[in-house]
Amino acid sequence: MTGKEYRTITDVKGPLVFLNKTEPVAFGEIVTIRLADGSIKNGQVLDTSDDLVIVQVFEGTAKIDRTAGVTFMGDVFKLPVSKDLVGRILDGAGRPRDGGPDIVAEENADIIGAAINPYSRQSPHDFIQTGISAIDCCTTLVRGQKLPIFSASGLPHNDIALQIARQAKLKGSDEQFIVVFCAMGITAEEYNFFRSDLERTGALENAALFVNLADDPAVERIITPRLALTAAEYLAFEHDYHVLVIYTDMTNYCDALRQIGAAREEVPGRRGYPGYMYTDLAMLYERAGIVKGKKGSITQFPILTMPGDDITHPIPDLSGYITEGQIVISRELHQQGIYPPINVLPSLSRLMGSCIGAETTREDHKSVSDQMYAAYAQGRELRGLVAIVGEDALNERDKQLLDFSGVFEDRFLRQSRDEDRSIDETLDLCWELMSSIDTKYLVRLDQKWIEKYHPDNKA
Amino acid sequence: MSKEGVIYRISGPVVTATGMSAGMYDVVRVGNEGLMGEVIELHGEKAVIQVYEDTSGIRPGEPVINTGETLSVSLGPGLLTQIYDGIQRPLPTLEEVMGVFITRGVDADAFDLEKKWTFEAVIEKGAAVEGGQVIGHVQETETIVHKIMVPPTMNGVIKDIKSGDFNVTETVCTLEDGSEIQMMQKWPVRTPRPYRQKYAPDTPLITGMRILDFLFPLAKGGAAGIPGPFGSGKTVTQQSLAKYSDAQIVVYIGCGERGNEMTEVLDEFPHLIDPNTGKPLMNRTVMIANTSNMPVAAREASVYTGITIAEYFRDMGYDVALMADSTSRWAEAMREISSRLEEMPGEEGYPAYLSSRIAEFYERAGRVETKNGDDGSVTVIGAVSPPGGDISEPVSQGTLRIVKAFWGLDAGLARQRHFPAINWLNSYSLYPQSLNQWFRDNIAQDFPEIRTQISGLLQIEAELQEIVQLVGSDALPVDQQLTLEVARMIREFFLQQNGFHDVDAYCDIHLQYSMSKAILSFQEAAKNAMAAGAQLNDVVNVPARTALMRGRFEKGYIDTIDDMVKAMVDEIADTVEDN
Ligand SMILES: Nc1ncnc2c1ncn2[C@@H]1O[C@H](COP(=O)(O)OP(=O)(O)O)[C@@H](O)[C@H]1O
Ligand SMILES: [Mg+2]
């Protein structure tokens, strides 16, 4: 069926091309479009019938006219996968971008990716130490988890993602992750930042990069993360690697979805995003995890920038409904000069409970984490009250909590970009900071841990 | 027109076929791979089909075959402990056939057709039977007797019935007119199963969650909605209900949510003990998992598959509880299909029939007299996931109009780690009226009055808090400061309940009552002591009160609580002398 070229384009609208009757074309089939000047564009079938075929064109429809020749390639989109993907840089459509040779396929994998049978999953439970105290103590990351970073423009989410990529390891193990990095519509500058950091630390050799930049075709972003995840699945489930997938920026991905929806004149959901965006995002995020009988794993770190810093915007909102928690970056903390500016209060790791404790992190972890969180939350709230009634109106307990919230930000949150704290160091630091509060106010700490770990009792 | 047609169009999960005779809701086989689908619209000679599997790679011109059946579930021994996808394919079987990833074009029987079950006839030859009547028993799991019923549409006189070991497709009973009854029967999912009559609910579904049982109780046969933004506790609440509520059968539907959450249930339930029977929870549970990344059409079907199974067990005279997490994902599946059909959208792109579908679903809850003359019930608890947590949206509103218990989860409470994060100020239940008698007869005569006192204190606290925000609590008169302390005790000691704590996650209803009385005893003792000159601070800080409050984390609290209350009251009285 491949080979026959049709010149039956009737309409071109946004990123879509409409064609009249052709041979029977498969739903999801890959398409090439040859323009008058000989240049080629690629696309995929979105709707097919005896009379009409709708194609979404990845590179945009500029210069396409009714004389353009359309060829159907006979198959759905597949990525040639091989172990050789590691160490390579590909573009947003999976072509080499590093001047290297084409990937010699060990297999051609369908990029849509089949759903993991829920019965075949294994619950993630291995603690990943990121070396960042706020994450390790309060929103602990688990191998096989999908934990997005909710950020906003101008905030240092990239630094945090890179620091995690550099430092992430299982406690007491040097086993490295393979990083699959997926750029969607980020600037060349941001990309260079990622790339040079990976290069500098030698991580590039253990990474596969899929790169669609701001000036690359917007619609191509629909497939870029699917390519990255297909590569990740292959490496994890065929070659036993532990893969860390970082993708940025999901907001650009969602905007590409919106663009296609609008061109199809679909009834939009909230804020113009398609009604099926939840399902579409789930088809990406749910490709994280661990499955029975396979040694590897996929951990996902999607990064998204919240338009207008609004966490109720559909992109963070739908993401939060699918992912297993979120790490929220705060502009306020950033402006106070604190790095990493992680606001632990709205942050959450839903899988944390399964990976902390005596056998994995430390016996006092849960207790410490609850107390740190509670004391900081109360201290932060008191800041509001103090602004109204003044500090003098506070009782002793409240004064201590208020002071603690400052120390929490200054010493617990703040760390340098190459500071890699072990979980023991993090928890010891928590005890040191909490000792500024009278023990009788530390009601969430178990007495037995106070006896064992409180600096007053240790010395 | 014939049984077989051809594909005319494919648009995502929606396929149009021509040249095929079809009726609404007929099950069809689509394309060369025979993917399962269901007719959802007829346009002249075109049939519009929603397909339960991924459609990529399918082409116009491929065949479509009408099976002539409507979308049905198989009902019989083997349902319990099973986990199905949205169209009742057992996930363990799919794993055997396909490996860990779900590919397509595979059929799987809902249960093992070979397995022999011991059927024990409970009715004799010559008896006249009607649809729904129980003719025999099968011990399906340790705790559950599966009652074999005459299919609802059949009746007659028994010509032959035999006890013994049979598989589900063997005939166990023949009627005079020649019709045969097997242990497995089918029922179309979109049609409610019949019963004799609906009763008004009068018995609570005891959940072991204090805020629910005590303040916002749900009746057996009732319906409740749990709306809340992400991370507020919908899933943990639903799972707690599945674990601890005193239903005899639980149907748990993971509808368009995370795969790992179903894995969690699968890992946990076989090891958890049902506090009501002392046996593994799995024995009473049927699970349906159509996660967010599985086909949306099957997600749409999953809630119907679940509720039909629930009705089937109800018809045996059981109290069934069904949890659907989340109904919003079901509604979104409807929206997705509807938009492919290019239907005229209603609010926020949802189809105009959204609210009637929601209502029809919840209407399948209820306490009934079964066709066998027993009392059975289906209680439905639906999670709702409003975008941005704003419940003014259509799914929340459609749900609120029909359910009588509303358990509103609150992002603010979750952020304070107050769990369950159910907002006691805006949640409600309309069931207490019909349940009060039960509480009086079975727990305590004054149960409803105590409830009123406790919720009254919470209301007063909310009003006082507004003042505190402006002037600080020290500016309030001491009696109001005491009220605040009592309310804080209600919140921290009574309403908060860690869903993961070995002991506190489930609280016996009698203990709930004792705990509520303990709070009122504190209030009373403190009031008296302070009238005699004691300081609020001393009263609040007596060690016995701390001990009382911590006691709920220890086993056997129900036996020690009364003594602990006495000790607290004594110590509070002593604070007077200290002055
Ligand atoms: N009853 C509870 N007890 C303890 N923790 C809870 C409880 N309810 C919720 N949580 C916490 O909140 C997190 C999110 O809850 P979850 O039920 O998954 O939210 P949702 O389904 O509304 O997104 C959980 O991972 C847990 O940490
Ligand atoms: Mg949930």
Side-chain angles (χ1 to χ4, degrees):
Chain A
M1 201 167 302
T2 317
K4 186 160 188 321
E5 194 174 81
Y6 294 91
R7 290 176 192 280
T8 54
I9 294 179
T10 57
D11 293 287
V12 180
K13 188 158 65 181
L16 303 183
V17 165
F18 298 71
L19 283 86
N20 267 342
K21 188 159 167 59
T22 55
E23 292 301 305
V25 170
F27 178 69
E29 189 166 344
I30 292 304
V31 177
T32 59
I33 302 174
R34 202 167 45 83
L35 307 193
D37 64 2
S39 62
I40 299 279
K41 289 177 188 269
N42 301 285
Q44 189 176 15
V45 174
L46 278 190
D47 200 320
T48 171
S49 70
D50 287 348
D51 309 322
L52 181 75
V53 174
I54 305 177
V55 175
Q56 81 182 13
V57 183
F58 300 139
E59 293 89 348
T61 46
K63 296 226 179 82
I64 294 184
D65 59 22
R66 297 178 57 174
T67 65
V70 179
T71 308
F72 297 95
M73 307 305 285
D75 205 352
V76 297
F77 207 121
K78 292 199 166 147
L79 176 73
V81 285
S82 131
K83 230 171 153 169
D84 298 340
L85 282 166
V86 178
R88 296 296 305 271
I89 304 176
L90 307 176
D91 72 6
R95 294 165 297 225
R97 191 189 167 105
D98 53 6
D102 283 347
I103 302 291
V104 179
E106 285 169 36
E107 205 178 285
N108 282 301
D110 185 345
I111 67 161
I112 300 300
I116 297 174
N117 185 332
Y119 180 75
S120 308
R121 283 182 182 267
Q122 272 195 325
S123 293
H125 49 69
D126 290 326
F127 163 63
I128 297 179
Q129 178 178 298
T130 66
I132 296 174
S133 292
I135 296 175
D136 290 350
C137 173
C138 301
T139 51
T140 319
L141 175 64
V142 191
R143 192 156 70 178
Q145 185 171 16
K146 40 190 180 287
L147 190 62
I149 298 181
F150 285 9
S151 188
S153 47
L155 298 179
H157 41 265
N158 292 341
D159 301 63
I160 297 172
L162 276 167
Q163 189 170 359
I164 292 168
R166 271 196 314 269
Q167 298 181 173
K169 54 183 157 297
L170 288 193
K171 191 185 173 190
S173 141
D174 283 332
E175 197 181 348
Q176 283 278 317
F177 284 94
I178 295 282
V179 173
V180 170
F181 175 78
C182 169
M184 293 168 285
I186 62 172
T187 61
E189 191 188 330
E190 277 178 290
Y191 165 62
N192 288 332
F193 176 75
F194 268 101
R195 194 192 142 145
S196 59
D197 191 275
L198 291 171
E199 222 156 23
R200 179 175 64 80
T201 57
L204 200 54
E205 284 163 35
N206 281 320
L209 276 58
F210 291 83
V211 183
N212 166 289
L213 297 184
D215 56 0
D216 288 332
V219 175
E220 189 181 273
R221 281 165 211 159
I222 300 292
I223 55 169
T224 313
R226 296 187 159 79
L227 299 171
L229 288 164
T230 303
E233 273 168 3
Y234 179 76
L235 294 170
F237 301 137
E238 301 298 327
H239 289 288
D240 298 343
Y241 286 115
H242 294 292
V243 182
L244 186 66
V245 184
I246 300 176
Y247 33 130
T248 179
D249 177 341
M250 285 308 287
T251 304
N252 295 331
Y253 171 83
C254 294
D255 286 346
L257 269 189
R258 178 166 66 174
Q259 208 182 324
I260 292 164
R264 292 189 73 182
E265 292 176 4
E266 289 166 349
V267 182
R270 272 208 316 153
R271 305 218 195 169
Y273 292 93
Y276 49 80
M277 192 157 88
Y278 173 85
T279 305
D280 189 280
L281 288 174
M283 309 256 303
L284 303 178
Y285 295 143
E286 278 287 317
R287 291 171 83 173
I290 307 177
V291 297
K292 279 188 206 158
K294 310 264 181 190
K295 292 207 188 90
S297 63
I298 297 178
T299 308
Q300 287 192 17
F301 251 114
I303 299 172
L304 60 87
T305 48
M306 300 182 280
D309 292 12
D310 177 8
I311 200 169
T312 67
H313 184 280
I315 297 172
D317 190 52
L318 294 179
S319 296
Y321 270 120
I322 305 163
T323 55
E324 287 151 340
Q326 65 278 341
I327 293 171
V328 181
I329 312 291
S330 147
R331 190 174 299 283
E332 190 192 328
L333 288 169
H334 178 64
Q335 280 163 352
Q336 285 172 43
I338 289 166
Y339 173 89
I342 295 172
N343 185 357
V344 300
L345 300 179
S347 298
L348 170 72
S349 165
R350 293 170 189 261
L351 303 184
M352 175 171 176
S354 65
C355 82
I356 63 172
E359 270 115 70
T360 46
T361 56
R362 214 167 77 180
E363 55 195 0
D364 56 330
H365 188 157
K366 169 133 195 19
S367 208
V368 168
S369 155
D370 287 352
Q371 184 63 70
M372 288 289 284
Y373 184 98
Y376 179 60
Q378 287 166 19
R380 280 278 297 246
E381 218 176 286
L382 287 165
R383 282 187 199 166
L385 189 65
V386 165
I388 305 171
V389 297
E391 202 160 330
D392 292 341
L394 297 186
N395 59 28
E396 186 51 32
R397 171 177 175 271
D398 289 353
K399 279 201 189 96
Q400 291 183 5
L401 288 169
L402 180 69
D403 290 345
F404 173 78
S405 71
V407 178
F408 181 98
E409 291 169 359
D410 201 43
R411 297 209 34 218
F412 173 73
L413 289 184
R414 190 198 296 279
Q415 63 186 87
S416 68
R417 283 170 170 72
D418 53 11
E419 189 177 352
D420 187 359
R421 295 184 191 153
S422 73
I423 183 68
D424 281 299
E425 285 169 333
T426 290
L427 294 175
D428 288 344
L429 175 65
C430 294
W431 281 102
E432 184 195 330
L433 303 181
M434 287 189 297
S435 69
S436 68
I437 304 173
D438 225 321
T439 350
K440 69 167 180 273
Y441 303 135
L442 299 174
V443 291
R444 303 210 177 213
L445 289 176
D446 263 325
Q447 194 55 37
K448 55 182 182 241
W449 308 141
I450 294 181
E451 279 154 25
K452 188 161 171 188
Y453 293 103
H454 196 281
D456 288 356
N457 303 327
K458 263 190 145 175
Chain B
M1 290 226 274
S2 75
K3 268 180 59 186
E4 188 170 333
V6 290
I7 298 179
Y8 163 75
R9 176 183 175 190
I10 303 140
S11 174
V14 172
V15 165
T16 311
T18 54
M20 177 181 74
S21 67
M24 281 296 272
Y25 306 126
D26 283 353
V27 171
V28 295
R29 298 287 167 182
V30 177
N32 298 330
E33 292 174 68
L35 308 185
M36 186 169 164
E38 181 186 9
V39 175
I40 52 170
E41 202 173 271
L42 293 169
H43 273 308
E45 72 139 358
K46 285 185 184 140
V48 183
I49 297 158
Q50 63 175 353
V51 181
Y52 294 119
E53 298 177 81
D54 177 39
T55 53
S56 348
I58 313 284
R59 293 169 199 275
E62 290 186 28
V64 181
I65 297 167
N66 191 343
T67 64
E69 291 175 16
T70 46
L71 186 68
S72 300
V73 286
S74 300
L75 302 165
L79 286 168
L80 293 172
T81 75
Q82 190 51 277
I83 177 163
Y84 293 112
D85 75 355
I87 46 173
Q88 216 202 2
R89 297 184 302 176
L91 293 176
T93 312
L94 296 189
E95 184 190 74
E96 266 168 45
V97 183
M98 313 169 175
V100 299
F101 290 99
I102 299 183
T103 51
R104 61 186 189 190
V106 175
D107 272 336
D109 293 317
F111 26 77
D112 186 346
L113 301 183
E114 298 307 316
K115 177 165 177 169
K116 298 276 186 187
W117 298 91
T118 305
F119 173 81
E120 188 197 324
V122 296
I123 204 161
E124 279 168 16
K125 194 175 153 173
V129 290
E130 281 178 40
Q133 201 163 332
V134 175
I135 56 167
H137 288 174
V138 170
Q139 189 74 41
E140 185 177 356
T141 63
E142 214 179 338
T143 39
I144 301 295
V145 173
H146 193 115
K147 298 181 185 157
I148 306 298
M149 296 168 285
V150 177
T153 51
M154 210 185 263
N155 57 54
V157 174
I158 295 190
K159 182 173 161 207
D160 188 27
I161 185 166
K162 45 196 174 188
S163 298
D165 292 352
F166 301 98
N167 69 37
V168 292
T169 54
E170 283 171 308
T171 298
V172 294
C173 175
T174 321
L175 301 185
E176 291 289 1
D177 68 1
S179 21
E180 299 181 337
I181 299 173
Q182 295 86 25
M183 284 194 274
M184 181 177 84
Q185 49 180 279
K186 292 204 166 199
W187 188 262
V189 297
R190 296 184 197 279
T191 311
R193 283 175 62 88
Y195 48 83
R196 282 196 195 148
Q197 59 170 319
K198 254 190 185 175
Y199 292 129
D202 63 0
T203 311
L205 181 82
I206 300 296
T207 68
M209 286 172 75
R210 289 183 288 264
I211 186 165
L212 302 186
D213 293 343
F214 208 85
L215 293 183
F216 311 114
L218 174 59
K220 288 199 172 111
I226 316 182
F230 66 83
S232 58
K234 295 179 295 296
T235 302
V236 175
T237 306
Q238 293 269 40
Q239 290 188 359
S240 295
L241 293 168
K243 290 178 197 167
Y244 305 123
S245 65
D246 68 345
Q248 290 160 300
I249 302 286
V250 167
V251 178
Y252 193 94
I253 311 173
C255 174
E257 292 279 315
R258 301 179 186 85
N260 274 334
E261 290 175 347
M262 297 313 294
T263 313
E264 218 171 87
V265 175
L266 283 169
D267 284 350
E268 241 187 311
F269 276 36
H271 307 290
L272 285 177
I273 298 299
D274 176 354
N276 304 291
T277 62
K279 296 289 191 283
L281 272 175
M282 211 60 185
N283 283 343
R284 66 167 193 184
T285 311
V286 185
M287 272 177 292
I288 293 163
N290 209 97
T291 56
S292 54
N293 55 339
M294 287 160 76
V296 287
R299 190 202 297 170
E300 192 274 335
S302 66
V303 302
Y304 295 104
T305 298
I307 197 132
T308 308
I309 292 173
E311 287 174 341
Y312 174 66
F313 281 102
R314 171 203 69 190
D315 292 344
M316 297 178 205
Y318 287 121
D319 290 319
V320 185
L322 175 141
M323 290 96 206
D325 184 13
S326 158
T327 60
S328 293
R329 307 304 169 214
W330 164 55
E332 285 165 7
M334 281 191 253
R335 175 168 71 183
E336 211 170 314
I337 305 283
S338 155
S339 103
R340 301 275 186 181
L341 297 180
E342 286 155 23
E343 288 175 340
M344 183 68 133
E347 227 181 319
E348 295 194 18
Y350 285 104
Y353 48 78
L354 173 76
S355 60
S356 61
R357 289 280 163 87
I358 293 175
E360 281 160 21
F361 170 66
Y362 282 103
E363 268 304 296
R364 291 176 74 170
R367 199 183 132 225
V368 305
E369 181 191 348
T370 68
K371 300 213 27 168
N372 194 51
D374 299 317
D375 196 335
S377 66
V378 173
T379 311
V380 174
I381 302 137
V384 184
S385 314
D390 176 359
I391 61 161
S392 64
E393 54 88 40
V395 184
S396 303
Q397 289 302 313
T399 306
L400 281 181
R401 272 200 294 277
I402 182 102
V403 300
K404 293 209 176 90
F406 167 82
W407 302 329
L409 290 168
D410 187 301
L413 290 173
R415 211 165 298 144
Q416 292 163 37
R417 299 287 198 261
H418 173 109
F419 290 120
I422 295 169
N423 183 326
W424 54 90
L425 296 172
N426 69 11
S427 296
Y428 62 77
S429 165
L430 302 179
Y431 293 108
Q433 285 242 356
S434 37
L435 301 177
N436 277 347
Q437 196 55 46
W438 187 94
F439 282 113
R440 284 191 206 285
D441 295 346
N442 293 277
I443 311 301
Q445 262 309 315
D446 62 350
F447 190 99
E449 287 71 34
I450 303 288
R451 178 200 296 129
T452 310
Q453 281 187 51
I454 296 283
S455 58
L457 281 160
L458 290 167
Q459 296 292 337
I460 296 171
E461 181 197 33
E463 287 156 27
L464 291 179
Q465 283 296 356
E466 284 179 20
I467 305 173
V468 171
Q469 290 303 314
L470 296 175
V471 297
S473 61
D474 285 351
L476 294 181
V478 283
D479 61 325
Q480 294 190 345
Q481 289 186 37
L482 172 63
T483 305
L484 286 180
E485 283 299 336
V486 176
R488 183 215 288 271
M489 188 168 175
I490 298 174
R491 284 188 283 114
E492 295 181 356
F493 168 63
F494 193 77
L495 299 185
Q496 282 190 20
Q497 204 174 350
N498 183 340
F500 303 108
H501 194 277
D502 296 344
V503 176
D504 196 41
Y506 170 78
C507 186
D508 186 278
I509 181 73
H510 295 277
L511 178 58
Q512 295 184 25
Y513 175 74
S514 301
M515 287 171 71
S516 67
K517 293 281 279 194
I519 295 167
L520 299 178
S521 301
F522 165 71
Q523 183 184 31
E524 180 73 20
K527 222 184 241 166
N528 293 340
M530 285 163 65
Q535 297 293 313
L536 175 63
N537 206 24
D538 297 336
V539 163
V540 169
N541 286 319
V542 297
R545 191 175 85 110
T546 314
L548 168 76
M549 289 176 59
R550 289 228 164 130
R552 72 184 197 276
F553 298 116
E554 307 295 333
K555 286 205 175 88
Y557 188 43
I558 196 158
D559 303 318
T560 55
I561 184 168
D562 289 345
D563 289 340
M564 292 174 117
V565 172
K566 278 200 199 84
M568 172 186 71
V569 170
D570 290 347
E571 283 186 16
I572 290 174
D574 287 347
T575 59
V576 179
E577 287 152 33
D578 294 350
N579 275 281

